Amino acid sequence: MKKKNIISAILLFGAFIAVLTGCSNSKSSSSSSDSNASGKITAVGSTALQPLVEKAASNFQKDNSKISITVQGGGSGTGLSQVQDGSVAIGNSDIFAESKDGIDAKKLVDHKVAVVGMAPVVNKETGVKNLTMDQLKKIFTGKITNWKDVGGKDQEITVVNRAEGSGTRATFEDAVLGGDKAVKSQEQDSNGTVQKIVESTPGAISYLAFSYINDKVQAVSINDVKPTDANVETNDWPIWSYEHMYTKGEAKDATAKFLKYMDSSAVQKDLVGKMGYISIHDMKVQKDAKGTVSNK
Amino acid sequence: MHPKRTDKIATGIIYTVVFAVVAILVFLIGYILVNGVPDINWHFLTSQAQSFSAGGGIRDQLFNSLYLLVLTLIISFPIAMGAGIYLAEYAKDNWITDIIRTSIEVLSSLPSVVVGLFGYLLLVNQLNMGFSILSGAIALTFFNLPLLTRNIEESLNSVPGLQKEAGISLGLSDWKTITKIIVPEALPGILTGVILSSGRVFGEAAALIYTAGQSAPSVSYTNWNIFDPSSFLNPMRPAETLAVHIWKVNTEAVTPDAHAISSGSSAVLIIVILIFNLGARFIGNHIYKKMTAAK
Amino acid sequence: MDEIQRKLQQSSKATREDRLGRTICYTCIGLIIMLVTCILYFIASKGIATFTKDHVNVWQFITTSNWEPGNMDSKGHPMVGALPMIVTSFSVTLLAALVATPFAIGVAIFMTEISAKRGAKLLQPVIELLVGIPSVVYGFIGLSLIVPFIRHIFGGTGFGILSGTLVLFVMVLPTITSLTVDSLKAVPMHYRQASLALGATRWQTIYKVILRAATPGILTAIIFGMARAFGEALAVQMVIGNAILMPKNLVSPASTLTSKLTTDIGNTVMGTLPNDALWSLALILLLMSLFFNMLVRFIGKRGNIKNAS
């Protein structure tokens, strides 16, 4: 009797799962069968890029009501592995697919949609507004530990780094550390939290995307170059990276249409700037996956 | 007189402790409400969220949270009820029961991140359900179940054995005794459990980020066809809940009024839970009176 | 005749209902077991990959303190030492439970033994409300109130185990309290009556009878609280500092298993070592809670025997 019950329980659970899969399968097949002007696009990945894509998607859908676009966060790593598996159409990433282990970049097609500049930020109390590249490097590798050594007041430096493997950190380390290892310190994975921590912790230093820099934290110039969009466009400000939207193979149908829209002036001139990003069209230089910068 | 003095001292200590806890709670809730309530207005509750301009609202997030809660309860309550009855009434005191109990406890101690990722891999990817309310509801079921089961079992166990004996001696079957005598008697306790777990479901963010998703596509509230992707009732659409919204706004949003949105949302969350608690308590008492002879 | 015979031999409606009810219950419990097995298998298979596929030494994994899954050490082994996270997770959890338990028991006694009416009217709803505060909100309150407070008093950055403990204390309090209340309520009324009839004071009754009888239940409550503390991610992540260093003291930045997991999982690629290593952390999390459960079971059993004799 008891055994019978257990078996029936297992069967029931199986049936439950089967019904669920059945439901969802029928749904997805029905939506993907009619292609061309309609379809379902899922874009997953970088949380930093998410708001831009979301907004662009909702504008796009006003003219293309048959295409439904879902935008999700999850991080660049998730985005890249998902698009590589083919489970989503677009993988959003802050980082070149080439620089991620476990991703076969040859299978993916890169669509650069925006440029993001990043700048070191410090707590306002430190009294530091400018650093040389060398000082910055020494701070993040733990060789300088007091603000008085770089012209600030006598206060210990608290380094707040970004999560290992995040696009922001990779960009920063490429541009500043030049292959050296960062000192072990606090790590945070989101711009918002870093902003709050730097704002409230005496002696804190970290780095933020331009759009998150406000008047509560002090952005630092490097070698007297100010972190501005104009300086990024000419590469005078070296800490910047692309925002990528990857597809597996060439984009088709609805996806291609959407990516074309992302590159159109409607998005590039208006939305990108509003988000605090720099339009890909305004860049006078380009960077490849190895970090080599050349004139466009 | 020594024991009496000890009694007085102990009572005093207990009062102090209770006072301290109440103070903490009042402070916390007060802090959230004072910070948040000024930001709540009709516009905030009824307009769509904005990604990078001020003045966004939380209409969709609020609805999503409620809808997700309802779905989660629909899925998890019957299962937890059955399991609770099994543990309280049928389970024999042997190693199998031991294993069952342990595994339920293990389930409850799983970090919600892990549950979320499990849901992401199994439901979203393997079963092809995508980022959807249903995925979210099932993921929440995973960690709602143990709490609920445990609570139901305890409520059932706290019903005096006499009641059961009385039922059986009247010639009622086991099942009738359970459903007509024990469960109604335990109902207030069970309801408390449901409320407690609803609170957690409501405030859960980590498990939902990867299952129900972080985007709230605009939905039409007049479309009642649950199979239509734009319908507000469609369980297969992605849905950002209030708690996830708070998390997102605080971590990545570039909206200028992020602080107002997050404190306003927190206050709304607390208020909704408060309404929910009071409502459930009222309904619970009502049902209790109806199903038992108690006045 | 046949009609009557059939009717007599047929199982009654009540019996059929009984059987149906029983089947439903067994099905439900079966479902839960399936689910647990599913999750356990999933996490175990993912978590073990670090050791089987990437050939990391298990012992090394849990006893060294260098966590740089992206890099190799001089011998070509990946550097994944989870010790700092394990130590921090344990300290935060134990400390939070240690602080919260006396408070929880005090409140529970108040709610069941001293002033049941006020307890039910006032404390119950407030505690239920507390459970509903999302961990994100706790995190931000922690970040904007507790961290500066700790920094003010102890110096340093304010991030660290102490801040984590304080946030978790408030978070686990409702869990421990409500479960303790349940277990105190489950103590039969005649225990109290018997004790009072023997001339014991209220405190003697509470301390020597009720709390003793409820010990297994209270332990379970504490474990549930610890489980919540252990698994809590978002709130802790915001106040602990997330530095993968051995915690030197209670106010230096540290990192728990969960905070590391949340911070990094989105940035790693499925199937690579950094990702596998994170799943191993999840596995450790799981094994630790399993261990706690066993401990409680053991204590609970011994408590029961004492009560019986």
Side-chain angles (χ1 to χ4, degrees):
Chain A
M1 184 67 206
K2 206 175 196 178
K3 236 180 213 163
K4 230 187 205 167
N5 281 326
I6 291 171
I7 291 169
S8 62
I10 292 170
L11 283 178
L12 243 158
F13 185 73
F16 176 67
I17 293 291
V19 168
L20 284 182
T21 24
C23 287
S24 50
N25 278 345
S26 64
K27 197 147 251 130
S28 57
S29 62
S30 70
S31 55
S32 60
S33 57
D34 41 356
S35 58
N36 219 3
S38 68
K40 202 173 163 188
I41 306 171
T42 312
V44 172
S46 160
T47 41
L49 187 53
Q50 192 192 346
L52 173 66
V53 182
E54 231 168 46
K55 188 73 193 169
S58 81
N59 289 352
F60 178 70
Q61 276 168 296
K62 278 181 195 146
D63 301 329
N64 299 274
S65 56
K66 285 216 174 122
I67 301 177
S68 107
I69 302 174
T70 310
V71 186
Q72 293 299 334
S76 301
T78 313
L80 286 173
S81 46
Q82 289 281 299
V83 71
Q84 175 167 277
D85 293 348
S87 30
V88 298
I90 300 172
N92 297 336
S93 172
D94 310 330
I95 193 171
F96 274 102
E98 282 85 351
S99 45
K100 264 283 178 216
D101 283 340
I103 295 292
D104 188 359
K106 282 187 210 95
K107 282 190 194 149
L108 302 178
V109 179
D110 188 5
H111 307 267
K112 301 186 181 80
V113 292
V115 169
V116 54
M118 293 159 211
V121 287
V122 298
N123 184 274
K124 285 209 142 174
E125 309 284 297
T126 55
V128 172
K129 287 184 176 154
N130 181 48
L131 289 167
T132 66
M133 197 52 128
D134 190 51
Q135 284 172 332
L136 192 60
K137 181 176 171 180
K138 281 187 173 148
I139 288 173
F140 274 90
T141 48
K143 291 192 184 87
I144 296 178
T145 55
N146 197 307
W147 284 114
K148 70 172 186 229
D149 296 339
V150 291
K153 58 180 187 180
D154 184 9
Q155 191 173 46
E156 213 180 307
I157 297 178
T158 302
V159 175
V160 181
N161 218 328
R162 304 300 290 269
E164 204 174 330
S166 70
T168 321
R169 177 155 171 180
T171 308
F172 184 81
E173 294 195 337
D174 279 350
V176 177
L177 299 190
D180 282 5
K181 255 202 274 179
V183 63
K184 279 207 175 153
S185 62
Q186 289 199 36
E187 285 176 16
Q188 291 298 340
D189 69 338
S190 72
N191 283 305
T193 319
V194 168
Q195 189 194 51
K196 282 191 190 68
I197 290 176
V198 172
E199 179 191 323
S200 63
T201 311
I205 182 169
S206 188
Y207 41 96
L208 283 171
F210 282 1
S211 47
Y212 294 90
I213 296 176
N214 59 12
D215 52 2
K216 288 177 190 151
V217 293
Q218 176 68 51
V220 177
S221 307
I222 300 177
N223 300 337
D224 289 316
V225 177
K226 283 211 167 67
T228 61
D229 290 0
N231 285 335
V232 169
E233 283 158 22
T234 54
N235 198 40
D236 287 330
W237 180 265
I239 316 170
W240 56 273
S241 72
Y242 292 109
E243 293 292 345
H244 311 262
M245 290 174 82
Y246 280 99
T247 51
K248 191 180 187 181
E250 283 300 333
K252 285 188 218 74
D253 306 336
T255 313
K257 203 170 173 193
F258 179 56
L259 286 171
K260 206 173 153 205
Y261 177 73
M262 287 300 297
D263 198 44
S264 72
S265 58
V267 171
Q268 293 292 336
K269 287 246 150 56
D270 183 36
L271 287 183
V272 167
K274 268 193 197 158
M275 281 294 303
Y277 288 141
I278 300 159
S279 166
I280 198 90
H281 296 162
D282 292 342
M283 291 302 288
K284 298 179 180 68
V285 290
Q286 57 187 4
K287 205 188 253 188
D288 65 13
K290 290 192 193 77
T292 326
V293 178
S294 57
N295 281 322
K296 224 175 181 177
Chain B
M1 281 301 105
H2 189 65
K4 278 222 168 135
R5 202 185 306 147
T6 325
D7 184 60
K8 281 229 170 79
I9 294 170
T11 312
I13 291 175
I14 288 173
Y15 268 93
T16 322
V17 164
V18 169
F19 181 76
V21 170
V22 172
I24 294 174
L25 308 190
V26 167
F27 171 74
L28 262 179
I29 292 169
Y31 182 83
I32 296 169
L33 290 182
V34 167
N35 270 310
V37 169
D39 298 316
I40 302 175
N41 51 43
W42 189 243
H43 173 77
F44 182 65
L45 291 178
T46 56
S47 58
Q48 264 191 301
Q50 296 290 337
S51 332
F52 42 82
S53 51
I58 53 166
R59 179 189 72 192
D60 299 332
Q61 282 78 11
L62 187 59
F63 173 77
N64 287 342
S65 287
L66 290 170
Y67 191 38
L68 189 70
L69 177 62
V70 171
L71 271 184
T72 307
L73 285 182
I74 290 177
I75 301 173
S76 59
F77 184 69
I79 303 177
M81 196 71 203
I85 292 177
Y86 169 85
L87 284 174
E89 307 295 335
Y90 293 125
K92 294 185 190 76
D93 200 10
N94 57 18
W95 62 273
I96 298 179
T97 314
D98 249 20
I99 289 181
I100 293 174
R101 273 178 219 280
T102 311
S103 54
I104 288 177
E105 269 158 40
V106 167
L107 192 59
S108 81
S109 51
L110 280 179
S112 51
V113 194
V114 174
V115 173
L117 287 164
F118 173 73
Y120 168 64
L121 288 182
L122 181 77
L123 305 168
V124 178
N125 286 348
Q126 297 283 336
L127 300 182
N128 226 336
M129 288 158 68
F131 291 103
S132 62
I133 300 185
L134 194 58
S135 306
I138 297 176
L140 285 181
T141 300
F142 292 166
F143 85 165
N144 198 12
L145 265 182
L147 273 174
L148 220 48
T149 307
R150 173 103 207 156
N151 184 277
I152 291 173
E153 185 203 344
E154 259 173 22
S155 310
L156 293 177
N157 274 340
S158 68
V159 174
L162 273 173
Q163 301 255 18
K164 191 179 179 182
E165 284 159 28
I168 294 190
S169 66
L170 282 172
L172 291 179
S173 67
D174 266 5
W175 186 243
K176 272 258 151 56
T177 316
I178 293 169
T179 50
K180 300 282 168 197
I181 296 177
I182 299 180
V183 171
E185 178 73 23
L187 205 63
I190 293 176
L191 253 161
T192 315
V194 173
I195 296 169
L196 269 173
S197 62
S198 310
R200 281 198 68 182
V201 169
F202 224 78
E204 181 52 44
L208 290 175
I209 294 169
Y210 291 96
T211 49
Q214 311 167 30
S215 65
S218 49
V219 288
S220 131
Y221 286 91
T222 48
N223 190 340
W224 288 83
N225 174 10
I226 64 164
F227 295 108
D228 195 298
S230 66
S231 163
F232 69 109
L233 285 175
N234 183 359
M236 299 312 292
R237 70 185 168 89
E240 179 191 37
T241 66
L242 208 50
V244 174
H245 189 60
I246 296 173
W247 175 80
K248 198 173 99 178
V249 162
N250 269 310
T251 51
E252 289 296 350
V254 283
T255 40
D257 57 349
H259 184 74
I261 293 177
S262 77
S263 46
S265 307
S266 312
V268 170
L269 209 64
I270 300 282
I271 293 170
V272 170
I273 291 170
L274 190 67
I275 295 172
F276 194 74
N277 277 10
L278 294 177
R281 204 170 289 274
F282 177 75
I283 296 167
N285 284 338
H286 191 71
I287 296 176
Y288 180 70
K289 275 180 198 154
K290 240 189 166 169
M291 288 178 81
T292 62
K295 280 226 168 127
Chain C
M1 182 67 195
D2 274 358
E3 181 88 346
I4 297 167
Q5 189 185 13
R6 205 168 49 97
K7 263 202 178 145
L8 282 174
Q9 286 180 340
Q10 195 185 36
S11 47
S12 72
K13 192 170 163 242
T15 318
R16 264 178 289 141
E17 261 179 17
D18 232 30
R19 215 176 282 152
L20 180 74
R22 196 178 276 264
T23 316
I24 293 173
C25 292
Y26 276 89
T27 314
C28 290
I29 203 80
L31 248 167
I32 294 186
I33 301 297
M34 284 277 295
L35 203 67
V36 176
T37 329
C38 231
I39 295 185
L40 288 191
Y41 169 76
F42 166 81
I43 294 172
S45 67
K46 281 248 161 211
I48 285 174
T50 316
F51 311 115
T52 54
K53 206 178 84 206
D54 304 305
H55 307 291
V56 175
N57 187 317
V58 181
W59 187 244
Q60 211 186 343
F61 188 81
I62 54 172
T63 54
T64 60
S65 54
N66 226 338
W67 180 273
E68 286 166 41
N71 300 317
M72 303 281 176
D73 65 3
S74 50
K75 286 180 206 142
H77 292 297
M79 292 196 276
V80 278
L83 188 64
M85 271 94 82
I86 297 173
V87 170
T88 313
S89 271
F90 260 110
S91 346
V92 174
T93 307
L94 289 175
L95 282 173
L98 216 62
V99 181
T101 306
F103 283 92
I105 293 180
V107 173
I109 290 175
F110 182 83
M111 285 170 70
T112 53
E113 311 301 325
I114 293 183
S115 182
K117 243 191 198 152
R118 252 184 294 172
K121 274 238 162 69
L122 184 80
L123 284 171
Q124 187 78 20
V126 180
I127 281 171
E128 282 160 18
L129 207 57
L130 262 192
V131 181
I133 300 180
S135 48
V136 198
V137 175
Y138 276 117
F140 277 94
I141 292 180
L143 193 60
S144 49
L145 289 179
I146 294 178
V147 170
F149 179 71
I150 303 279
R151 181 167 59 228
H152 190 69
I153 294 190
F154 297 97
T157 59
F159 293 94
I161 292 179
L162 193 57
S163 304
T165 305
L166 288 180
V167 169
L168 283 177
F169 153 67
V170 186
M171 294 188 72
V172 300
L173 192 61
T175 314
I176 302 185
T177 308
S178 56
L179 287 170
T180 306
V181 167
D182 287 347
S183 70
L184 291 186
K185 273 190 187 150
V187 175
M189 206 49 186
H190 60 256
Y191 279 33
R192 294 180 183 97
Q193 289 158 348
S195 166
L196 290 173
L198 284 172
T201 61
R202 184 166 66 184
W203 175 245
Q204 281 171 330
T205 309
I206 292 170
Y207 183 66
K208 302 226 156 130
V209 180
I210 300 171
L211 284 184
R212 296 290 152 97
T215 303
I218 295 174
L219 278 173
T220 318
I222 298 173
I223 288 299
F224 266 98
M226 283 178 39
R228 180 153 194 214
F230 224 89
E232 182 45 52
L234 295 180
V236 178
Q237 189 211 4
M238 286 178 200
V239 298
I240 197 103
N242 300 318
I244 317 165
L245 299 164
M246 276 306 271
K248 285 190 286 288
N249 51 46
L250 292 185
V251 290
S252 69
S255 178
T256 63
L257 293 164
T258 45
S259 72
K260 189 70 197 156
L261 206 58
T262 345
T263 315
D264 281 7
I265 198 91
N267 291 318
T268 54
V269 175
M270 210 58 83
T272 59
L273 173 71
N275 189 272
D276 290 345
L278 289 178
W279 282 108
S280 304
L281 293 187
L283 183 63
I284 292 180
L285 227 47
L286 192 74
L287 292 177
M288 283 212 248
S289 56
L290 213 62
F291 167 74
F292 275 128
N293 277 321
M294 296 296 169
L295 202 69
V296 140
R297 218 135 272 285
F298 180 69
I299 299 169
K301 260 190 193 141
R302 295 203 39 180
N304 279 340
I305 292 164
K306 234 187 223 161
N307 279 339
S309 64

